[in-house]
Amino acid sequence: MSDDTKTSQQLWTGRFTEATDRFVEAFTASEHFDRRLYRQDIRGSIAHARMLTACGVLTEAERDAIVRGLGEIQAEIEQGAFEWSPALEDVHMNIEKRLTDRIGDAGKKLHTGRSRNDQVATDIRLYLREAIVEIRAELLRFQQGLVDLADREADTIMPGFTHLQVAQPVSFGHHMLAWYEMLVRDQGRFEDCAARLNVMPLGSAALAGTSFPIDRAMTCAELGFDRPSDNSLDAVSDRDFAMEFAAASSILLTHLSRMAEEMILWASPMFDFIDLPDRFCTGSSIMPQKKNPDVAEIVRGKTARVHGHLVGLLTLMKGQPLAYNRDNQEDKEPLFDTVDTVRDCLRAFADMVPAIHTRPESMKAAARKGFATATDLADYLVRKGVPFRDAHAIVGAAVRHGVETGRDLADMELETLRGFSNTIEADVFEVLTLEGSLAARDHHGGTAPNQVRQQVQKARKRLAETPAEGRS
Ligand code: ARG
């Protein structure tokens, strides 16, 4: 078969007798999305070429031409001058072909002793490792903002909720530190993910390793991996790190979505607990009075797509036999979109949440209306010797009276309260205040403002010790 029946660009046409179907060419191409990996691909290729030279497979002149050529290609890509071709399938072959066009035969030797299978597995790991560094830095910034807000609002009293019914008063700062704790666990999950993914597949070649003398320790050191992979079959087919990253991202987004939900409720005039800065809200094209918490709503909405990507990646892997299968090309779009979405959502909240303006009077009024100190009255009776269950029933009756007469417990006269239990004395009013209720919960993990301040100190110390920089 003469050459003109084949698409001339492809690098693997030797055994084929007809050109790839046009649709198939477009259908199987990934360069339009995996070009995002160009930096990692070039970095990996340079390390590979240096290693092949040290092992006597390439000459120094070939290595120098490759390193220089790849550097020039990187500049071309960054200047937008590189011509990407779907006929060359993916980022790897686009770059390799361009290298050969520029430097000739040395370019054709670059792929000695490797496969796109170990190449792409290495590229994605390098990419994700860098992405996690950025995500962790953004997480840290958000955590710092929450701790500052908690410090400012340690004495601000809000009703705490269970079942979205007023339960007991809590410090608004305590609530912000609850969000902070969620993010501490998220930090740990991304840290774990980065540690586990930092294993180098390069050298596994297509699936079985290579017959060339290679020095994997050398490429490993140059690329900053902790160790080379121990099994070539596993290394080219493993995408656990992608699933793990998507899982950590999904849990993080679930947290952000819960925060979003609370902010949306609190910003509603029916709650009126907070005011969100205008620069993070939008108006309505028809209702002039509206100020909508769109940023929070979009974060809540974005959570859905990240959860979707996790399910997509799990499903992508579940039926695959060892070793590499082309299915794996489908890992990139969900992964890239997860990175972008997580980064944007964190940025939005790191900017917006610390700028929340609280409305302490509204929060206090809501706490009073909801009988938030009822448990404090029951505890008071218990301290005076009343069994807890009896105390519960006594306070229940007092609350019913409060509901009927439209009064909080703290607004009732002593005589009225004594009507429910003559154990009650004048000192009861100390425990019926919202401030008294908070101050009483003065133990490790409790909501007393002085405990909140201690937790703020602990958090500040922990944040100062969290490395902002990872390996990249
Ligand atoms: N674009 C491919 C991917 O992302 C690269 C590996 C292709 N390997 C192959 N043997 N076709 O997975």
Side-chain angles (χ1 to χ4, degrees):
M1 193 63 59
S2 70
D3 249 343
D4 60 4
T5 61
K6 300 173 184 172
T7 305
S8 56
Q9 285 196 315
Q10 286 156 342
L11 303 181
W12 39 251
T13 54
R15 60 104 66 223
F16 288 79
T17 55
E18 60 175 1
T20 313
D21 182 278
R22 281 267 164 230
F23 169 73
V24 170
E25 188 178 285
F27 187 61
T28 55
S30 57
E31 58 79 21
H32 56 291
F33 54 82
D34 67 17
R35 60 173 73 166
R36 191 193 276 230
L37 297 171
Y38 77 91
R39 264 193 316 109
Q40 292 77 17
D41 197 67
I42 287 172
R43 187 175 170 190
S45 288
I46 290 174
H48 182 66
R50 286 191 179 137
M51 181 278 290
L52 288 180
T53 307
C55 296
V57 179
L58 295 182
T59 66
E60 288 181 4
E62 286 165 340
R63 176 200 59 200
D64 293 345
I66 289 171
V67 172
R68 195 177 345 102
L70 287 172
E72 287 161 6
I73 290 171
Q74 176 155 343
E76 268 179 18
I77 295 173
E78 282 163 4
Q79 285 152 18
F82 189 90
E83 272 185 46
W84 295 94
S85 163
L88 288 167
E89 279 186 44
D90 52 27
V91 59
H92 322 294
M93 293 208 288
N94 267 272
I95 291 175
E96 189 189 320
K97 176 72 166 40
R98 181 76 185 123
L99 182 66
T100 300
D101 288 348
R102 292 185 76 105
I103 69 168
D105 280 355
K108 293 189 195 162
K109 293 188 179 180
L110 171 63
H111 211 52
T112 310
R114 79 170 181 188
S115 153
R116 278 184 293 156
N117 299 351
D118 60 342
Q119 191 178 350
V120 71
T122 304
D123 291 358
I124 324 171
R125 285 170 190 253
L126 288 173
Y127 170 82
L128 209 49
R129 197 172 72 188
E130 288 178 38
I132 292 174
V133 171
E134 285 175 36
I135 286 170
R136 293 195 63 209
E138 215 46 4
L139 254 174
L140 193 67
R141 190 166 74 88
F142 184 21
Q143 287 175 300
Q144 273 155 349
L146 283 175
V147 171
D148 290 342
L149 182 59
D151 200 9
R152 282 202 305 278
E153 306 283 350
D155 293 302
T156 305
I157 298 173
M158 69 179 287
F161 295 88
T162 60
H163 315 270
L164 203 58
Q165 307 290 318
V166 170
Q168 293 171 356
V170 294
S171 145
F172 189 85
H174 198 52
H175 200 113
M176 292 303 102
L177 288 183
W179 290 2
Y180 162 81
E181 289 294 333
M182 299 178 192
L183 301 180
V184 170
R185 295 189 294 274
D186 291 317
Q187 276 285 14
R189 272 182 282 272
F190 283 109
E191 192 180 348
D192 287 353
C193 178
R196 230 183 323 276
L197 75 71
N198 206 29
V199 173
M200 187 191 72
L202 196 62
S204 303
L207 76 167
T210 172
S211 59
F212 290 95
I214 55 170
D215 180 353
R216 298 188 69 207
M218 183 177 166
T219 37
C220 187
E222 175 150 354
L223 296 174
F225 283 106
D226 292 329
R227 61 180 175 89
S229 56
D230 291 331
N231 184 295
S232 60
L233 291 169
D234 176 52
V236 291
S237 64
D238 168 35
R239 295 292 183 276
D240 288 4
F241 60 88
M243 295 183 275
E244 202 173 333
F245 175 77
S249 300
S250 292
I251 298 173
L252 166 66
L253 264 286
T254 293
H255 291 156
L256 300 189
S257 186
R258 294 180 67 190
M259 297 170 195
E261 174 69 11
E262 293 190 314
M263 285 187 279
I264 293 163
L265 286 171
W266 295 345
S268 149
M270 267 100 78
F271 274 77
D272 195 34
F273 286 5
I274 60 168
D275 196 21
L276 293 169
D278 283 0
R279 64 185 181 281
F280 296 109
C281 295
T282 59
S284 161
S285 55
I286 171 168
M287 297 165 282
Q289 85 282 14
K290 292 300 286 294
K291 175 175 159 185
N292 297 328
D294 296 48
V295 170
E297 292 172 283
I298 287 175
V299 168
R300 190 174 58 184
K302 296 261 186 211
T303 306
R305 67 198 281 159
V306 171
H307 289 186
H309 294 327
L310 170 62
V311 174
L313 287 166
L314 292 168
T315 312
L316 175 69
M317 297 311 295
K318 73 176 273 296
Q320 287 196 47
L322 288 174
Y324 176 85
N325 301 281
R326 190 66 178 272
D327 315 38
N328 283 345
Q329 186 164 293
E330 288 292 309
D331 65 356
K332 286 169 207 65
E333 287 167 293
L335 203 55
F336 294 160
D337 189 66
T338 301
V339 169
D340 293 343
T341 307
V342 167
R343 207 190 274 140
D344 289 352
C345 290
L346 280 174
R347 177 181 172 174
F349 273 12
D351 288 346
M352 180 179 85
V353 179
I356 281 179
H357 181 77
T358 57
R359 295 193 183 284
E361 285 315 313
S362 294
M363 291 196 260
K364 275 190 175 178
R368 289 200 194 95
K369 230 169 101 189
F371 302 97
T373 54
T375 313
D376 295 275
L377 179 55
D379 289 352
Y380 168 89
L381 291 168
V382 169
R383 281 194 296 274
K384 303 243 169 188
V386 179
F388 182 77
R389 277 292 149 231
D390 295 341
H392 190 287
I394 291 165
V395 178
V399 166
R400 193 172 61 234
H401 177 73
V403 171
E404 282 160 11
T405 57
R407 286 192 300 174
D408 182 38
L409 297 171
D411 301 333
M412 294 178 194
E413 305 76 21
L414 180 59
E415 275 322 299
T416 310
L417 289 169
R418 284 176 63 83
F420 300 104
S421 166
N422 57 16
T423 320
I424 297 176
E425 293 168 65
D427 59 353
V428 71
F429 293 105
E430 287 159 35
V431 307
L432 290 184
T433 64
L434 298 172
E435 289 77 7
S437 173
L438 251 71
R441 283 154 177 80
D442 189 11
H443 55 78
H444 180 94
T447 194
N450 93 68
Q451 291 291 338
V452 173
R453 281 196 197 88
Q454 283 180 40
Q455 291 299 330
V456 163
Q457 291 319 315
K458 189 173 162 186
R460 287 203 196 289
K461 195 161 170 281
R462 186 197 263 158
L463 291 176
E465 286 162 4
T466 305
E469 294 289 300
R471 208 196 310 252
S472 59

